[in-house]
DNA sequence: TATATTTTTATAACGTGATATAGTTTCCGC
DNA sequence: GCGGAAACTATATCACGTTATAAAAATATA
């Protein structure tokens, strides 16, 4: 199936990905230079550029390599769609909580101005479909307002999620508050799009996340209002 | 009041800020190196580092320098607090729309992993106070749910806003859609925190922003769902 | 096996943000 | 005015991401 040439290429690619993963684990952000990476992978400095194109692309490949997707959500069957949504988000974040140093390095590079191709590598159609399905389910169950565009709602949820990741990366959110911060964003936006029935399910969640954030690590002193002009 | 030494320092600082502004305007992102900046400001390479600390800090200072604040909102008197909020956000964004190239360069540097001190330079207490006042006003008018923590709500709104800016910077949002994207995020989160009365005011806004986004430039093909694992 | 093609290697180079050092100018307090 | 501190200048340097170049190695094709 695969020519010997392509096989060797894949093998090199994999070696680079593994080396990157190990380097991040061992040295954190600082130790991950392209020169160190090439040396660790037993490869010339030019090779990662040939095979991936840039440092960011390498890290994206690491992110891709790490995650399995989609087969973990089969068992949410009996929950209502909105709870499924929040549960899925919770699960997503739990991965970051388990290995914060590692994921923070990855997200740092990934969030920094990325090109379209690279973004699509993370936020791909498969994942899009998963979330849209949940939102459509909620809509069909009458939990969202009539006329809500689930694609646009998803986009808003997504912005909120990535923003929380960004602020975690830059140190404005503690890892203990990741769940609650992301959850509050989700719950607020969902409740904002919800029908009366949906809101009944979400109101309690809003306050629960709010409590979690208040009781968590003391809120930072620094203001968080965006500027106005 | 000001010693001659400090005056000269301020003058140099200002010269650097102006030089940065001009360089961005003339050459865009690319031409703005510290060496070019120093040369343009008639100053040594070391001086911007002495006076500001880093390149990002210089750009933050440019952002600071550019905007006046607070005296533009006196005339919103008769609007209800929620409309005031949305109006203020609208005004904020209008500045970016007027000079997108310029502001994009600034935000690119600002959003990239910033330190706490630098963040506080943008999101300072004065602005925080402005927004909190609006939210508290809304709360006092019974437009928000009983028990909503306006500080946490503001933080959520803020995350949403910055996320929209981030996605504009990386090219995922067109400038024509900035208003609607930010507005939808605000309207959803606010409606999610609103009382029945407040929701009555916001439901229409949600759909208005939704329409604007649908009718604007064709939605990008790229997915926007966050990954889950 | 011999030739052609692709890919990697080794190495140098460029421009970047940032820091360090030594010398020079500027200004404040006395 | 003069001594000393503070700031800036000039310059060298560092590590970084990235690109370019030529040579060597690996593989495909005949």
């Amino acid at each position: 199936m695969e020519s010997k040439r392509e096989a060797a290429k894949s093998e090199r690619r994999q070696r680079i990905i593994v080396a990157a993963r190990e380097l991040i684990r061992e040295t954190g952000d600082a130790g991950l230079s392209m020169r160190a990476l090439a040396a660790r992978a037993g490869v010339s400095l030019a090779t990662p550029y040939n095979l991936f194109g840039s440092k960011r692309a390498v890290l994206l490949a690491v992110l891709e390599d790490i995650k399995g997707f989609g087969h973990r959500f089969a068992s949410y069957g009996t929950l209502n769609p909105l709870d499924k949504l929040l549960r899925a988000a919770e699960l997503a974040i739990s991965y970051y909580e388990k290995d914060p140093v590692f994921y923070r390095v990855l997200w740092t590079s990934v969030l920094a101005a990325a090109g379209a191709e690279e973004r699509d590598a993370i936020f791909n159609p498969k994942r899009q479909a998963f979330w849209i399905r949940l939102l459509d389910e909620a809509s069909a169950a009458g939990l969202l307002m009539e006329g809500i565009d689930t694609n646009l709602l998803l986009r808003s949820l997504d912005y909120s999620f990535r923003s929380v990741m960004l602020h975690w990366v830059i140190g404005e959110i503690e890892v203990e508050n990741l769940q609650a911060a992301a959850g509050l964003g989700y719950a607020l936006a969902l409740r904002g799009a919800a029908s009366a029935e949906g809101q009944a399910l979400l109101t309690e969640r809003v306050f629960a996340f709010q409590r979690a954030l208040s009781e968590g690590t003391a809120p930072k002193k620094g203001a968080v209002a965006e500027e106005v002009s």
Side-chain angles (χ1 to χ4, degrees), chain A:
Chain A
M1 196 73 233
E2 209 177 14
S3 75
K4 197 163 182 182
R5 199 162 249 158
E6 284 306 313
K9 223 189 260 192
S10 300
E11 191 266 344
R12 252 177 244 118
R13 233 188 294 258
Q14 196 58 32
R15 231 162 58 212
I16 292 170
I17 289 176
V18 169
R21 202 163 51 209
E22 292 174 351
L23 268 179
I24 297 174
R25 287 239 143 81
E26 292 169 16
T27 68
D29 201 349
L32 188 74
S33 75
M34 290 302 271
R35 287 165 177 86
L37 176 60
R40 176 73 172 235
V43 112
S44 123
L45 171 60
T47 300
Y49 287 97
N50 290 334
L51 295 179
F52 294 92
S54 70
K55 180 178 188 179
R56 213 164 45 226
V58 171
L59 294 180
L60 275 168
V62 173
L63 206 49
E64 272 298 292
D65 190 64
I66 271 173
K67 61 176 67 140
F69 178 81
H71 45 280
R72 268 185 281 265
F73 298 96
S75 54
Y76 287 175
T78 66
L79 293 174
N80 74 67
L82 291 178
D83 280 334
K84 273 192 214 172
L85 266 161
L86 291 175
R87 191 69 72 85
E90 194 182 316
L91 179 63
I93 298 240
S94 73
Y95 281 82
Y96 300 100
E97 283 178 325
K98 271 180 220 150
D99 200 349
V101 181
F102 183 67
Y103 283 104
R104 183 184 285 215
V105 172
L106 288 183
W107 275 93
T108 300
S109 297
V110 168
L111 280 175
E117 341 71 47
E118 296 164 347
R119 275 199 312 284
D120 289 354
I122 324 182
F123 307 105
N124 63 35
K126 200 164 78 178
R127 302 202 171 86
Q128 158 103 345
F130 169 80
W131 290 95
I132 281 291
R133 191 151 37 82
L134 286 180
L135 284 176
D136 284 341
E137 215 177 304
S139 188
L143 300 175
L144 299 183
M145 283 193 287
E146 201 90 16
I148 282 287
D149 182 329
T150 50
N151 279 289
L152 290 178
L153 175 57
L154 174 55
R155 207 181 296 194
S156 266
L157 291 176
D158 187 46
Y159 289 162
S160 174
F161 180 84
R162 290 194 228 175
S163 192
V164 168
M165 297 313 291
L166 171 67
H167 288 82
W168 169 55
V169 157
I170 67 180
E172 199 171 277
I173 299 181
E174 319 289 331
V175 67
E176 311 88 54
N177 289 333
L178 258 183
Q179 288 282 5
L184 180 59
Y186 268 56
L188 281 175
L190 283 174
R191 189 173 181 276
S195 65
E197 190 185 347
Q199 297 202 344
L201 297 170
L202 286 166
T203 304
E204 171 55 24
R205 306 295 293 254
V206 168
F207 286 109
F209 286 126
Q210 200 177 271
R211 271 195 308 275
L213 280 175
S214 304
E215 292 164 3
T217 53
K220 314 263 292 236
K221 296 290 282 299
V224 286
E226 74 279 16
E227 83 293 349
V228 140
S229 58

